[in-house]
């Protein structure tokens, strides 16, 4: 009888080679990995890993890029978010990959259908990426997509990230829509590649003025340029930026919040930036910057952090079917301003009633075709969405569902599970040989298995790329 130990540990019974690391086992692992990653879609294994591709991450990267160009940050807009979601669903429903659909569907019709009467609008598309950074970098490498991201024409943004099968392949679609309801535009003050050239002297304000004393020399000064006083910030990881005069070639800036030291940063140019190690807490803040060891202190800047989006509480969600209509009711956690209902590729206008935090509306039964998603936003642009398709039933009973959230695809989970399991076996074998003082006898074989493992692991993580449009 084969002992269980022989599968994992070198023994006399397995001739000092664990059965799970034998040639047959290695061939089996290789076959499973190749099959899962090459043909997994045929048996329903998803290859999509979208845990890091979220609307919030895409918007944060976009605004970070815009700040580097001296542009305004974009506010999340629920109508644009609903339009982006409808466009993504339309591509899946009609199986196309383009800005314009097979029947002439344009990005602008989705934006208008959401009730966003734009003066300026734009759209970026991406598919098949596995990280938000990969999507953003691909867009920035394309002149036309980059032009949208760093355009001064836009004030608002909406992003949708949807998984599904497109043209015979499981993938993740990212739709990024830009808009401006006014004719007001912005100009970039600088680009990351440019070095600012001296400009004509201007009359400094009282907070910028450098006082010159014939006896003491120049006085150092510091000010905060971002965030601006009185603003409401939806990104809790916002950096503090500022400028100094006469601070020298190497200095340290300390940032205080309500007189408590938040942290410091070292700078070698007049412009400085402090990246907070942890997120700013929700609520009001009043910050001051000071050059360490000097009396130079900035004026205080008060701002508010509001990054919490209103959320539909699934535990309170009820759907009831009656006389050709579905009546939907649920409670909303947090303050909210706008509610959009997206069914498939259509943005459905609903008249809702409010009773405290409870919201109720009806949808015609004939319109329920495709995924049903509720998009909520507050006045600051914080947006959340929840698919409620599974709550709709064929009988007249009220039903409630809770559906799980999966961040890792089945295909990637199997692949990572196999390579992790083999790594543990290799480490066990190395430990046993080391304890027995026989490492020299196993070096060659362990090296071969190790190289095999590295190659397969690299192959699994390869292909973190996609397409843009």
């Amino acid at each position: 009888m084969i002992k269980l130990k022989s599968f994992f540990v070198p023994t006399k019974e397995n001739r000092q080679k664990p059965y799970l690391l034998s040639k047959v086992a290695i061939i089996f692992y290789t076959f499973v990995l190749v099959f899962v990653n090459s043909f997994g879609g045929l048996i329903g294994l998803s290859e999509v890993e979208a845990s890091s591709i979220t609307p919030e991450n895409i918007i944060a990267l976009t605004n970070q890029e815009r700040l580097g160009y001296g542009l305004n940050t974009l506010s999340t807009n629920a109508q644009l978010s609903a339009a982006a979601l409808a466009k993504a669903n339309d591509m899946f429903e009609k199986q196309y990959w383009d800005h314009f659909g097979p029947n002439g569907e344009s990005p602008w019709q989705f934006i208008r259908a959401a009730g966003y009467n734009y003066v300026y609008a734009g759209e970026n598309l991406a598919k098949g990426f596995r990280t938000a950074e990969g999507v953003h970098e691909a867009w920035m490498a394309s002149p036309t997509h980059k032009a949208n991201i760093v355009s001064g024409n836009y004030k608002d943004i909406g992003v949708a990230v949807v998984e599904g099968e497109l043209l015979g392949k499981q993938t993740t679609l990212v739709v990024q829509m830009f808009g401006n309801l006014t004719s007001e535009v912005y100009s970039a003050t600088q680009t990351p590649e440019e070095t600012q050239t001296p400009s004509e002297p201007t009359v400094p304000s009282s907070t910028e003025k450098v006082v010159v004393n014939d006896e003491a020399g120049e006085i150092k000064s510091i000010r905060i340029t971002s965030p601006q006083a009185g603003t409401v910030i939806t990104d809790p990881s916002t950096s503090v930026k500022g400028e100094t005069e006469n601070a020298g070639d190497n200095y340290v800036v300390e940032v205080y919040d309500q007189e408590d030291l938040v942290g410091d940063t070292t700078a070698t140019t007049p412009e400085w930036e402090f990246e907070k190690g942890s997120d700013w807490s929700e609520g009001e803040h009043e910050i001051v910057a000071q050059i360490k060891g000097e009396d130079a202190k900035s004026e205080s800047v008060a701002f508010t952090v509001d990054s919490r989006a209103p959320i539909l509480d699934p535990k309170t969600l009820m759907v009831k079917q009656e006389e050709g209509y579905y009546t939907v009711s649920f409670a909303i956690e947090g303050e909210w301003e706008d509610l959009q209902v997206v069914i498939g590729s259509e943005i459905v206008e609903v008249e809702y009633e409010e009773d405290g935090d409870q919201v109720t509306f009806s949808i015609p039964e004939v319109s329920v075709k495709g995924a049903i998603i509720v998009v909520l936003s507050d006045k600051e642009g914080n947006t959340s969405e929840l698919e409620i398709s599974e709550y709709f039933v064929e009988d007249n009973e009220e039903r409630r569902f809770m559906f799980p959230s999966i961040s890792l695809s089945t295909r990637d989970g199997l692949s990572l599970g196999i390579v992790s399991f083999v790594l543990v076996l290799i480490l066990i074998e190395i430990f046993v040989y080391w304890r027995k003082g026989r490492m020299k006898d196993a070096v060659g074989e362990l090296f071969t298995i190790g190289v095999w493992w590295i190659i397969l692991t690299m192959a699994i993580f390869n292909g973190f790329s996609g397409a843009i449009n």
Side-chain angles (χ1 to χ4, degrees), residues 260-275:
D260 294 329
L261 179 63
V262 177
D264 57 46
T265 183
T266 301
T268 57
T269 65
E271 291 77 28
W272 56 270
E273 179 177 357
F274 168 69
E275 296 182 0

Side-chain angles (χ1 to χ4, degrees), residues 200-437:
E200 290 295 322
T202 58
V203 179
S205 67
S206 59
T207 58
E208 297 174 312
K209 188 176 295 183
V210 180
V211 179
V212 179
N213 185 297
D214 291 337
E215 296 181 5
E218 296 178 327
I219 295 178
K220 297 177 181 179
S221 68
I222 184 172
R223 72 187 185 102
I224 296 172
T225 58
S226 178
Q228 297 181 354
T231 57
V232 177
I233 295 171
T234 58
D235 180 7
S237 61
T238 294
S239 298
V240 179
K241 299 181 181 180
E243 299 174 344
T244 59
E245 294 194 35
N246 306 317
D249 297 331
N250 196 323
Y251 59 95
V252 176
V253 175
E254 296 177 325
V255 177
Y256 293 84
D257 183 8
Q258 302 286 357
E259 299 184 353
D260 294 329
L261 179 63
V262 177
D264 57 46
T265 183
T266 301
T268 57
T269 65
E271 291 77 28
W272 56 270
E273 179 177 357
F274 168 69
E275 296 182 0
K276 198 171 184 296
S278 59
D279 293 342
W280 294 100
S281 60
E282 295 286 311
E284 298 179 354
H285 297 269
E286 187 172 349
I287 58 174
V288 172
Q290 180 175 358
I291 301 177
K292 187 175 182 179
E294 304 285 349
D295 292 332
K297 183 183 295 186
S298 73
E299 292 187 357
S300 63
V301 172
F303 65 95
T304 302
V305 176
D306 181 2
S307 62
R308 294 174 181 166
I311 298 175
L312 188 161
D313 185 359
K315 297 188 296 294
T316 65
L317 178 58
M318 291 187 295
V319 178
K320 186 176 182 180
Q321 185 182 24
E322 50 187 1
E323 297 181 0
Y325 282 84
Y326 285 103
T327 300
V328 183
S329 64
F330 51 80
I332 299 177
E333 297 179 358
E335 296 183 1
W336 63 283
E337 188 172 75
D338 193 21
L339 182 154
Q340 298 275 338
V341 178
V342 180
I343 302 180
S345 59
E346 302 293 329
I347 300 170
V348 179
E349 292 187 12
V350 296
E351 294 184 2
Y352 51 82
E353 298 179 358
E354 296 181 61
D355 183 9
D357 60 354
Q358 194 77 15
V359 174
T360 303
F361 61 84
S362 296
I363 302 175
E365 185 177 342
V366 293
S367 66
V368 179
K369 298 177 181 179
I372 305 169
I373 299 172
V374 175
V375 182
L376 296 170
S377 68
D378 60 18
K379 63 180 181 180
E380 305 302 338
N382 296 305
T383 303
S384 69
E385 59 184 54
L386 180 67
E387 181 174 351
I388 62 173
S389 306
E390 295 186 46
Y391 290 77
F392 287 74
V393 295
E394 293 302 326
D395 53 30
N396 290 324
E397 296 181 4
E398 295 181 2
R399 295 177 60 185
R400 300 184 182 189
F401 295 88
M402 294 292 292
F403 30 80
S405 175
I406 302 174
S407 60
L408 187 67
S409 70
T410 305
R411 186 178 303 190
D412 288 343
L414 284 172
S415 299
L416 292 176
I418 291 175
V419 296
S420 299
F421 176 68
V422 174
L423 176 61
V424 172
L425 293 176
I426 294 173
L427 293 176
I428 291 175
E429 187 170 6
I430 291 174
F431 176 75
V432 172
Y433 277 120
W434 173 75
R435 287 288 301 271
K436 293 181 178 181

Side-chain angles (χ1 to χ4, degrees), residues 172-194:
T172 299
L173 284 183
V174 183
V175 180
Q176 182 183 47
M177 287 187 168
F178 306 87
N180 187 348
L181 295 171
T182 73
S183 57
E184 181 183 5
V185 298
Y186 301 85
S187 298
T189 59
Q190 63 183 30
T191 64
E193 296 82 7
E194 292 176 346

